[in-house]
Amino acid sequence: MKNVISHIMLVYMHYFVSNPPYQAVCDKYFGPDVNVMSLMQGADLWLMRVDFIFEFPRPTMPNVVYIGGFQGKPSKPLPADLEDFMQSSCEHGVVVMSLGTLLGDLGPELSEIIASAFANLPQKVVWRHIGERPTSLGNNTMLVKWLPQNDILGHPKTKLFMSHGGTNGIYEAIYHGVPILGLPLIFDQIDNFVRMKVRGAAEMVDVTTLDVESLTNTLKNILDPTKAYKEKIQKLSQLHHDKPMKPIDSALFWMEFVMRHKGASHLRTESYKLPWYAYHCLDVMAVFAACGLILMSLVWVSCRCVIRALIRATKSPAKSKKE
């Protein structure tokens, strides 16, 4: 039921929210007979930022190429001040927190809760924070306006990544084998963490019920070396790296393939050209339903005729036997 409701909402948003401005561009440059959906469905190649070590299995078309984690790359040396801070963590390591470029500030109330939880940890914390400095900030926490996320996740001192659940951050954490604590807020972030939690490589907290004690306990639970979070994410990282081609190389090959052969229509399904009733086989079901109704009607008419004949036979007067 949730999937059906979500699908209906997405269809509504497509037709009445996101599609109109794009359709206006299509009308201007391609004419009224072309729509955005037909352009998308008629694409020869789809490059999808998906890797099945993270995504759930599903059937796909031959023209879908998976390049999940294509942005992953080895880490580079950190700036001197950041490197000194990382090394000062000793054996405890460092927790890294970043909510991406769109959601840099959670507001003063949530920031105070997070700062208090970080202050309870023996680990050092690097927090990309935009906004007022929390009053409860501990001495173990460094606030920065920007951080080299890929490089710091690849640092050997990094023990945990606290993230909003953006796709880039998720795949960078998988690439470097760093467990994740999720603070999902919008879009696909909850969905991403559901997948990571199923894999045993992440936990998720709800911002609407967040408090210092629960956040502290969750952080300590993931950081506990006796737990399997680190082991599970490192297994995902091994699977992610064990491929015949890097995702970016696969993307380059298939784009050049399409250019060399002037398209790849042999990989594309033509089902999008079918009318909606044919796509959903409603015409076939209608034929079967009609045949079934005709058969049932014939049986019903036949039974009525037989029953009427029997009734007439029982009502006719008995003939006397001639001696």
Side-chain angles (χ1 to χ4, degrees):
M1 290 177 65
K2 183 179 178 181
N3 284 342
V4 171
I5 293 171
S6 298
H7 177 70
I8 293 171
M9 291 172 63
L10 287 172
V11 169
Y12 171 82
M13 290 177 64
H14 168 75
Y15 282 107
F16 297 101
V17 179
S18 62
N19 188 65
Y22 295 106
Q23 188 59 49
V25 175
C26 278
D27 293 342
K28 181 178 180 180
Y29 293 102
F30 300 108
D33 297 332
V34 178
N35 60 71
V36 177
M37 187 60 71
S38 66
L39 287 176
M40 293 171 62
Q41 292 175 324
D44 285 320
L45 188 69
W46 282 82
L47 300 176
M48 303 293 289
R49 294 194 307 162
V50 170
D51 188 330
F52 283 104
I53 57 103
F54 161 70
E55 183 60 71
F56 294 136
R58 62 181 184 226
T60 55
M61 291 295 173
N63 65 334
V64 177
V65 177
Y66 293 99
I67 58 168
F70 72 94
Q71 73 275 29
K73 55 187 175 182
S75 58
K76 298 177 182 177
L78 298 174
D81 58 337
L82 197 53
E83 179 64 31
D84 292 341
F85 184 81
M86 299 289 287
Q87 294 299 337
S88 68
S89 65
C90 301
E91 75 278 0
H92 296 296
V94 176
V95 174
V96 178
M97 178 174 175
S98 175
L99 298 179
T101 55
L102 187 62
L103 303 166
D105 184 14
L106 291 173
E109 185 177 348
L110 279 174
S111 295
E112 292 293 343
I113 292 173
I114 293 170
S116 298
F118 285 158
N120 295 329
L121 299 177
Q123 286 79 17
K124 293 293 184 73
V125 180
V126 178
W127 181 3
R128 182 187 178 276
H129 178 71
I130 300 174
E132 295 183 6
R133 182 183 179 89
T135 58
S136 57
L137 196 72
N139 295 328
N140 65 333
T141 304
M142 173 191 281
L143 296 184
V144 294
K145 298 292 185 182
W146 175 87
L147 57 82
Q149 184 169 285
N150 181 75
D151 300 333
I152 200 169
L153 287 176
H155 197 282
K157 290 289 186 179
T158 301
K159 303 297 181 182
L160 174 65
F161 180 36
M162 189 168 173
S163 168
H164 62 302
T167 307
N168 285 342
I170 291 282
Y171 277 112
E172 285 176 351
I174 292 173
Y175 185 93
H176 295 292
V178 180
I180 313 173
L181 175 58
L183 198 70
L185 300 170
I186 55 174
F187 303 141
D188 62 339
Q189 296 165 9
I190 293 178
D191 202 46
N192 288 340
F193 276 115
V194 166
R195 285 157 167 72
M196 290 300 291
K197 191 172 180 180
V198 168
R199 301 292 191 266
E203 285 294 339
M204 181 170 48
V205 293
D206 187 353
V207 293
T208 60
T209 59
L210 196 64
D211 58 70
V212 176
E213 184 180 359
S214 64
L215 180 57
T216 303
N217 291 336
T218 306
L219 286 165
K220 290 181 177 180
N221 184 51
I222 301 176
L223 290 164
D224 188 345
T226 62
K227 305 294 184 180
Y229 294 99
K230 182 70 174 179
E231 185 179 324
K232 293 291 181 62
I233 192 70
Q234 287 182 337
K235 180 62 177 178
L236 293 181
S237 182
Q238 290 173 5
L239 293 171
H240 180 62
H241 285 283
D242 193 3
K243 295 175 181 173
M245 291 178 69
K246 293 180 180 179
I248 190 67
D249 293 332
S250 180
L252 289 171
F253 169 81
W254 283 106
M255 285 191 289
E256 291 174 352
F257 178 91
V258 171
M259 289 188 287
R260 282 195 303 270
H261 300 283
K262 310 299 181 184
S265 59
H266 63 289
L267 299 177
R268 183 187 63 217
T269 176
E270 299 296 318
S271 61
Y272 73 96
K273 294 181 179 178
L274 294 174
W276 63 272
Y277 55 85
Y279 180 83
H280 294 285
C281 294
L282 296 181
D283 50 348
V284 178
M285 287 188 277
V287 170
F288 280 121
C291 292
L293 288 173
I294 292 171
L295 182 61
M296 291 172 63
S297 300
L298 290 174
V299 172
W300 181 70
V301 170
S302 301
C303 290
R304 283 194 63 182
C305 292
V306 171
I307 291 171
R308 284 179 178 177
L310 291 174
I311 290 173
R312 284 197 298 268
T314 54
K315 286 184 177 180
S316 58
K319 294 181 180 180
S320 58
K321 184 179 179 182
K322 293 182 180 181
E323 296 183 1

